[in-house]
Amino acid sequence: MFLPKRKLIAFLFFCCLALLILALSFKEAPYTLRTVTLDAAKWPLMVTTFLAHEARALFFFHRSYWQNMRLREEVARLTSESLQRSRDDAELDRLRELLGHKQSVSFQTLTARVIGKDFGAVKSYLILDKGSADGVEKYTPVLTARGLVGKVIETGRRASRVILMNDPDLSVPAQNLRSREQGLVSGALDGRCKLRFLDLDSDVQEGDVVVTSGLNMTFPQGIVLGKVKWIGVESSG
């Protein structure tokens, strides 16, 4: 015969109460009960603490990640600004050098910018952003504040082609600035320039500065061509 539901619940309650009273009747029952209760409560606390630590770590990791990203962007910006400032300073130094050189020469000059380079197997050229519309004429010498670069061999309205002074097809009348010995500077196949047609007893020393002599109408006198690095005798004697 089945007991009603309420009677069943009451029966189970009294059974549990009887077991509890029986357990407390032992000498070590309170300690055992406390131990069981603490062990039962320990695991939920451990899980809760672990989840709290993980949540905190995730939060700080997220914050640190975005802080690191902002710092990286700031470093990249500062690096870019530093490079731009260095380029601007270098450009300002070049402009000052050109301005000083322009004021020191006795002939009229025109400032141009290199916009292209044409390096062939035998010949090399530079392309400037000034042409006939700007007053550039064929055979105009091209120089920087440090010396001669070459001369214009072809002009367009807004651009010019320049042959370099180390090209074998270009020769420039020159002289030793110290001893006034005169010769002809021309390019060589090895990419260097040579001061030719000097006497065997010419007074030439390593380190001497070589400039244009002015004997050619194309190149004004006194433009620096380079320095003597080596002295020798050609195969022709």
Side-chain angles (χ1 to χ4, degrees):
M1 180 176 183
F2 294 98
L3 295 174
K5 183 180 294 187
R6 291 184 178 179
K7 293 182 178 181
L8 178 61
I9 295 175
F11 174 75
L12 293 176
F13 173 76
F14 284 114
C15 288
C16 292
L17 183 59
L19 291 175
L20 179 60
I21 294 173
L22 180 63
L24 292 175
S25 63
F26 293 100
K27 183 178 180 180
E28 297 181 356
Y31 174 78
T32 304
L33 181 61
R34 186 168 62 251
T35 302
V36 173
T37 304
L38 290 176
D39 289 341
K42 178 178 67 176
W43 291 104
L45 291 175
M46 291 178 61
V47 172
T48 304
T49 303
F50 173 77
L51 293 177
H53 283 301
E54 288 297 318
R56 190 178 297 109
L58 181 62
F59 171 75
F60 282 109
F61 172 79
H62 182 270
R63 187 173 65 177
S64 300
Y65 172 79
W66 287 111
Q67 287 178 347
N68 185 48
M69 290 296 294
R70 286 193 292 270
L71 289 175
R72 286 177 179 269
E73 292 175 357
E74 183 69 13
V75 169
R77 183 183 65 81
L78 292 176
T79 301
S80 178
E81 291 180 356
S82 177
L83 291 175
Q84 183 61 43
R85 191 176 297 108
S86 298
R87 288 193 293 266
D88 292 342
D89 291 342
E91 182 68 17
L92 183 60
D93 291 339
R94 285 194 293 269
L95 291 176
R96 287 173 177 170
E97 191 177 21
L98 286 174
L99 180 60
H101 178 69
K102 187 174 182 178
Q103 294 174 346
S104 65
V105 298
S106 58
F107 46 86
Q108 185 178 359
T109 60
L110 175 67
T111 302
R113 184 183 296 272
V114 176
I115 59 175
K117 298 179 181 181
D118 182 9
F119 293 127
V122 179
K123 296 181 179 296
S124 299
Y125 303 96
L126 297 179
I127 308 299
L128 304 182
D129 64 347
K130 295 292 190 298
S132 58
D134 304 294
V136 179
E137 299 178 355
K138 192 175 182 180
Y139 304 133
T140 299
V142 178
L143 59 150
T144 67
R146 298 185 178 183
L148 186 68
V149 174
K151 71 176 180 179
V152 175
I153 60 170
E154 184 179 355
T155 60
R157 281 191 55 79
R158 296 297 180 184
S160 304
R161 176 181 288 187
V162 178
I163 185 174
L164 303 182
M165 64 173 294
N166 60 350
D167 192 293
D169 289 340
L170 180 60
S171 297
V172 182
Q175 66 178 2
N176 188 320
L177 188 61
R178 180 184 59 81
S179 66
R180 318 305 294 181
E181 296 279 354
Q182 295 192 3
L184 192 67
V185 169
S186 57
L189 294 177
D190 59 4
R192 297 182 296 179
C193 293
K194 293 184 178 181
L195 176 60
R196 306 174 187 270
F197 308 117
L198 296 172
D199 293 334
L200 289 177
D201 58 351
S202 295
D203 182 13
V204 181
Q205 301 176 7
E206 292 186 8
D208 284 350
V209 177
V210 180
V211 299
T212 54
S213 63
L215 296 180
N216 186 305
M217 294 297 294
T218 300
F219 304 99
Q221 184 179 9
I223 301 176
V224 175
L225 299 176
K227 291 183 178 181
V228 177
K229 295 193 67 175
W230 176 80
I231 302 172
V233 179
E234 290 189 324
S235 58
S236 61

